[in-house]
Amino acid sequence: MSTAQIASIDSLAEGLSGYLARRQINQVRRAYYYAEQAHDGQLRRSGDPYVTHPLQVAGILGRMHMDHQSLMAAMLHDVIEDTGITKTAIKSQFGVNVAEMVDGVSKLSKISFDSHAEAQAENFQKMALAMSRDLRVIMVKLADRLHNMRTIKALPREKRQRKARETLDIYAPIANRLGMNDMRIELEDLAFEAMYPLRFQRIDAAVRKVRGNRKEIVSQIQTSLEACLEREGLPGRTLGREKHLYSIYDKMRSKRKSFAEITDVYAFRIVVDRVDTCYRVLGAVHSLYKPVPGRFKDYIAIPKTNGYQSLHTTLFGMHGLPIEIQIRTEQMEAMANNGIAAHWLYKSSESIPSNAHVRAREWVNGLLEMQQRAGNSLEFIENVKIDLFPDEIYVFTPKGEIFELPRGSTPVDFAYAIHTDIGSSCVACRISRRLAPLSEPLESGQTVEIITAPGHKPNPAWLGFVVTAKARASIRQFLKNQKLSESTALGRRLLSKALASFGANLDALPQEAVVATLKQLRLDSMDRLFEEIGLGNRMSHAVARRLLASDENPAETGLADSLMVAGTESSVMNYARCCTPIPGDRIVGHISSERGLVIHVDGCNNIAEFRNNPDKCVEVNWDPEVQGEFHVEVRVELAQQRGIIATLATSITGAEANIEKISTVERDAHLSIVILLMKVRNRVHLARVMRKIRLIKAVTRVTRAKSRKIRRSVGRAGIVTH
Ligand code: MN
């Protein structure tokens, strides 16, 4: 990659004229002048005006033939972070695509990778990619980092080390994932030099020395390779190769090899026109020198995960010197050096791109196709997909630990991912320090803090938004256990009451009667019996009779206290939706085998047939202390009038009732019937609400709706309560 400085916007524009339209170049210019003004007065560490930095970043991208929007984003990439200008302002000046890219780069820059463990580096790489659905964001960020590394000498030592470490851990591997080898090599060597200046110098000196010593042999081998291609009539160019300094250092360290072992290899590359020429060249060099068995690799048929394609072979040269040869086409060469960026380089000669993002996708599709042609490597396809269009998000705990979650995950999923207990007891959360609903979908890069309250229980409503299997299973399990304990409690109350109606007491039952009954019913404990009754699978009255069987035909005394209803619904106690009982109504409990105890208004048509069956219905009363709000339906007949629904709503809210739903069930030119579903505290409250409604002039009649079944044939009016 050329490291030449761009002298001015004019010289950049001149370079761009090779592949961009004049109109596009003018937009790049406009972005430059905008950035120049925004950064006015700011200086780089080096003392240069700040705008030199975005200019060089755009220059790096220009050499890769990136599209004009990427170059504009490069010009503006530090404007949001370093000046007072907003994303909205950039959008109005340069359009939504450029604004999104600038915003994306700013977000990436804001995350500080360095404060976290090295072991998490791979997650950071994935996160960076996940955050950049438009891959051009990554390209701008890489170019930004490259220029900062080129000018890193201006920074104080400590900052230099930090940036260098981050470059080696995060950015060079990202460049590698995207197949941008030139970018990776330059980033690695710059970072290596900044991290370990002495080791860098030592290896650099050693390489120079070896290069001098080997010069003659290298040119001998090169000449013989070229002559061989010439003889066989195979057009191509032969290049000598050297490993870059960081890779030598890395191999010495990780593979514990000596400098000589690593560099004692002569390496060449032969670049040709077409794929079939590659294989013919392979044959030719194998007849020139003897190949080393087991060292041939065909990355043309099976490309590497980042799209790299080439033939690799090792030969025994004269005097047994090992010679490594890579053989590939010009296109593969461009791909190997520039990876995803090669895509822009290649297509640029054709029609001007309309949508570079679509092209990035094409690049990925191209890789997939190549892979399919080559045969099978599921891993390859998976990698490309995960890396570039991930279905995962990456979020932090307040301590900086990273969690990987599926896209769409919420704070509740996150809480369960940390620990089941945290999930079960979570009550609220902060997303990047801001209080947020537990249902808000998370995004990559956010820091999530879960607030728990001891003893707090999972909410069934969470099942409506959680996406992870773990959260779902944990919530379900909890609800199941809860239903069990609630039904046990309810069953005990129902049985006590049934026994009381025979003048007996649950705690004073003869032991033999209990044992005999459990045996008959094939249950192993009283708790199981209570549970069966609570779930509605057994009738409390029948069980009571069985328990008292020794006292022949016990007479009902009718002295039992009724059950008290205290307010909140549970998994085994519900309010009937047909008649919507509210405190103050006379009520009756219906034992339903699906829903447990269902509270109806006494007189509801839906339970009329079992009203007097003690196995199906139990006496219940409102607890005098009953709390909460209860659903109720009110039917209003009114004259058609503009804005009447709003007037209605205002007067109801004025009476402190909450409207849940308004539906018009019947209307002609003059008259409407409106059904209101609302929440009130009790009958007194409802009466007050209805009085208020009646005060509205257009209203001709207000009644409480009686039952859902009956409502289908409206006209038969509901009961009038007042
Ligand atoms: Mn920058």
Side-chain angles (χ1 to χ4, degrees):
M1 192 170 296
S2 164
T3 58
Q5 291 272 309
I6 303 287
S8 67
I9 180 65
D10 289 327
S11 56
L12 175 68
E14 201 187 309
L16 299 180
S17 63
Y19 76 100
L20 287 181
R22 181 192 295 269
R23 187 175 43 83
Q24 294 170 327
I25 296 172
N26 284 341
Q27 281 180 280
V28 176
R29 271 183 189 278
R30 207 157 61 78
Y32 170 82
Y33 292 123
Y34 190 92
E36 187 178 46
Q37 204 160 52
H39 291 294
D40 187 33
Q42 295 174 350
L43 295 179
R44 292 277 284 175
R45 256 311 158 159
S46 59
D48 293 328
Y50 197 90
V51 75
T52 55
H53 166 62
L55 178 66
Q56 299 310 320
V57 175
I60 291 168
L61 295 170
R63 272 188 215 103
M64 299 186 210
H65 285 199
M66 294 291 293
D67 67 304
H68 69 289
Q69 289 183 340
S70 306
L71 298 179
M72 291 163 74
M75 291 296 187
L76 301 165
H77 80 270
D78 280 328
V79 159
I80 292 183
E81 269 300 275
D82 296 350
T83 77
I85 289 164
T86 63
K87 179 181 169 189
T88 320
I90 293 179
K91 187 172 146 193
S92 71
Q93 280 289 321
F94 300 101
V96 64
N97 287 332
V98 173
E100 287 294 339
M101 268 195 268
V102 174
D103 189 49
V105 178
S106 305
K107 280 198 181 125
L108 273 183
S109 309
K110 244 191 258 172
I111 291 179
S112 83
F113 294 105
D114 43 69
S115 59
H116 305 284
E118 199 179 333
Q120 304 248 25
E122 192 176 339
N123 278 335
F124 276 110
Q125 296 161 26
K126 286 191 192 168
M127 178 162 70
L129 287 162
M131 285 174 72
S132 322
R133 301 225 99 194
D134 184 341
L135 281 173
R136 294 178 297 174
V137 169
I138 283 283
M139 318 284 272
V140 175
K141 184 66 206 167
L142 287 174
D144 173 43
R145 176 49 59 110
L146 182 59
H147 183 245
N148 284 334
M149 290 306 295
R150 283 177 183 172
T151 54
I152 199 168
K153 292 214 169 78
L155 294 184
R157 187 165 164 274
E158 194 212 334
K159 206 167 175 190
R160 230 159 40 207
Q161 297 255 328
R162 205 151 47 79
K163 290 274 167 200
R165 165 74 22 230
E166 191 178 289
T167 300
L168 284 178
D169 283 348
I170 313 295
Y171 290 102
I174 287 178
N176 189 38
R177 275 166 187 261
L178 297 176
M180 301 165 73
N181 206 36
D182 287 352
M183 173 77 84
R184 172 179 71 98
I185 287 173
E186 196 182 342
L187 286 173
E188 282 180 350
D189 275 351
L190 288 167
F192 176 37
E193 187 177 7
M195 286 275 292
Y196 307 110
L198 291 178
R199 295 177 215 188
F200 179 89
Q201 279 163 27
R202 227 177 297 138
I203 293 181
D204 189 33
V207 166
R208 281 171 203 278
K209 194 168 154 216
V210 165
R211 196 184 290 150
N213 296 344
R214 306 194 323 172
K215 216 170 178 179
E216 204 163 315
I217 302 177
V218 168
S219 83
Q220 256 179 37
I221 300 172
Q222 180 154 358
T223 311
S224 76
L225 284 171
E226 281 166 350
C228 166
L229 297 187
E230 180 82 39
R231 258 197 320 276
E232 304 284 331
L234 297 166
R237 52 196 178 95
T238 306
L239 317 153
R241 289 190 297 124
E242 273 180 12
K243 288 193 166 62
H244 69 293
L245 302 186
Y246 179 72
S247 83
I248 295 172
Y249 169 72
D250 192 46
K251 279 213 172 75
M252 287 170 70
R253 202 185 44 165
S254 64
K255 299 200 172 157
R256 300 190 171 277
K257 285 189 173 178
S258 70
F259 177 81
E261 278 176 283
I262 293 161
T263 53
D264 205 12
V265 174
Y266 294 83
F268 295 87
R269 179 177 307 150
I270 302 173
V271 184
V272 301
D273 54 351
R274 297 203 319 263
V275 173
D276 63 285
T277 316
C278 293
Y279 292 95
R280 286 161 63 205
V281 168
L282 181 73
V285 299
H286 278 182
S287 61
L288 181 66
Y289 298 116
K290 206 163 142 348
V292 178
R295 294 296 301 273
F296 169 64
K297 291 203 182 76
D298 187 347
Y299 293 118
I300 292 180
I302 301 174
K304 287 194 183 179
T305 54
N306 60 10
Y308 174 87
Q309 284 188 297
S310 199
L311 298 178
H312 287 191
T313 189
T314 305
L315 312 167
F316 292 114
M318 50 280 216
H319 321 301
L321 289 173
I323 305 171
E324 280 180 8
I325 309 247
Q326 299 174 343
I327 307 164
R328 55 175 83 142
T329 65
E330 290 287 356
Q331 188 163 354
M332 290 172 195
E333 167 82 349
M335 196 65 146
N337 294 337
N338 299 299
I340 187 165
H343 190 85
W344 275 274
L345 263 174
Y346 254 86
K347 292 263 175 98
S348 56
S349 54
E350 296 163 19
S351 63
I352 302 297
S354 54
N355 188 340
H357 187 49
V358 169
R359 294 245 239 93
R361 276 176 187 280
E362 278 172 13
W363 178 77
V364 175
N365 289 339
L367 290 185
L368 293 176
E369 227 172 73
M370 209 155 62
Q371 181 59 27
Q372 274 151 11
R373 264 205 322 262
N376 181 35
S377 171
L378 254 182
E379 186 204 36
F380 166 80
I381 295 172
E382 279 312 307
N383 273 339
V384 172
K385 240 181 24 201
I386 290 167
D387 288 356
L388 302 181
F389 301 101
D391 294 319
E392 282 86 41
I393 55 163
Y394 301 87
V395 289
F396 297 109
T397 66
K399 283 186 185 152
E401 245 181 299
I402 301 185
F403 275 79
E404 180 184 316
L405 294 168
R407 186 164 288 279
S409 288
T410 61
V412 174
D413 292 293
F414 175 78
Y416 275 105
I418 297 172
H419 196 280
T420 311
D421 290 347
I422 300 202
S424 300
S425 59
C426 73
V427 287
C429 70
R430 287 196 190 88
I431 299 179
S432 301
R433 298 216 188 87
R434 152 187 69 87
L435 270 175
L438 286 171
S439 59
E440 184 169 311
L442 299 172
E443 285 172 29
S444 280
Q446 289 174 331
T447 300
V448 186
E449 182 188 345
I450 297 295
I451 301 161
T452 59
H456 195 266
K457 295 183 179 111
N459 184 338
W462 293 349
L463 287 172
F465 57 74
V466 295
V467 306
T468 53
K470 183 174 182 196
R472 190 166 295 278
S474 304
I475 298 167
R476 287 232 176 92
Q477 184 58 41
F478 173 83
L479 292 176
K480 210 173 128 198
N481 291 341
Q482 188 189 36
K483 184 166 180 183
L484 221 60
S485 70
E486 278 175 8
S487 48
T488 308
L490 175 65
R492 169 182 268 277
R493 284 168 74 193
L494 290 170
L495 186 60
S496 299
K497 188 177 153 330
L499 287 166
S501 70
F502 295 115
N505 182 345
L506 180 61
D507 298 325
L509 287 171
Q511 190 59 31
E512 25 333 338
V514 171
V515 172
T517 305
L518 289 177
K519 199 175 166 197
Q520 274 172 4
L521 300 177
R522 295 165 197 270
L523 295 169
D524 50 19
S525 69
M526 276 309 265
D527 273 350
R528 287 281 295 128
L529 177 61
F530 295 148
E531 188 189 314
E532 285 284 287
I533 296 170
L535 289 170
N537 297 337
R538 300 219 166 259
M539 310 304 172
S540 58
H541 235 72
V543 173
R545 258 199 297 271
R546 210 186 272 262
L547 281 165
L548 302 171
S550 51
D551 314 7
E552 281 178 18
N553 293 325
E556 283 200 52
T557 61
L559 290 177
D561 292 331
S562 58
L563 291 177
M564 290 295 179
V565 175
T568 28
E569 289 184 293
S570 70
S571 52
V572 291
M573 201 282 282
N574 303 279
Y575 297 106
R577 289 189 238 286
C578 51
C579 52
T580 57
I582 58 174
D585 288 338
R586 283 209 298 134
I587 47 177
V588 63
H590 171 225
I591 301 162
S592 142
S593 60
E594 283 144 39
R595 299 177 58 201
L597 186 64
V598 183
I599 309 298
H600 286 262
V601 172
D602 195 3
C604 171
N605 283 344
N606 291 333
I607 54 156
E609 50 178 307
F610 8 82
R611 176 64 188 87
N612 294 314
N613 178 347
D615 279 339
K616 295 267 185 170
C617 284
V618 289
E619 297 301 320
V620 289
N621 272 313
W622 295 104
D623 188 310
E625 305 287 312
V626 64
Q627 294 280 329
E629 294 197 309
F630 300 82
H631 278 116
V632 69
E633 277 189 332
V634 169
R635 181 179 180 277
V636 181
E637 288 182 21
L638 38 74
Q640 278 289 19
Q641 209 174 79
R642 187 185 291 271
I644 185 65
I645 297 292
T647 313
L648 197 57
T650 313
S651 94
I652 293 167
T653 333
E656 290 160 30
N658 288 318
I659 307 173
E660 304 258 303
K661 200 172 148 197
I662 299 182
S663 44
T664 307
V665 290
E666 197 172 278
R667 68 196 309 172
D668 58 33
H670 309 291
L671 200 72
S672 279
I673 293 174
V674 175
I675 302 288
L676 300 161
L677 177 64
M678 53 187 172
K679 277 185 154 180
V680 296
R681 290 189 292 277
N682 50 40
R683 274 173 79 101
V684 177
H685 185 199
L686 175 64
R688 190 150 56 83
V689 175
M690 289 172 70
R691 256 197 315 276
K692 267 254 181 156
I693 297 174
R694 225 169 259 126
L695 290 176
I696 301 170
K697 262 206 194 111
V699 170
T700 54
R701 191 172 152 89
V702 184
T703 55
R704 180 166 167 195
K706 190 183 179 188
S707 148
R708 241 163 230 272
K709 266 188 187 161
I710 290 164
R711 217 185 63 207
R712 279 199 196 118
S713 52
V714 173
R716 270 198 282 159
I719 42 165
V720 182
T721 47
H722 289 275

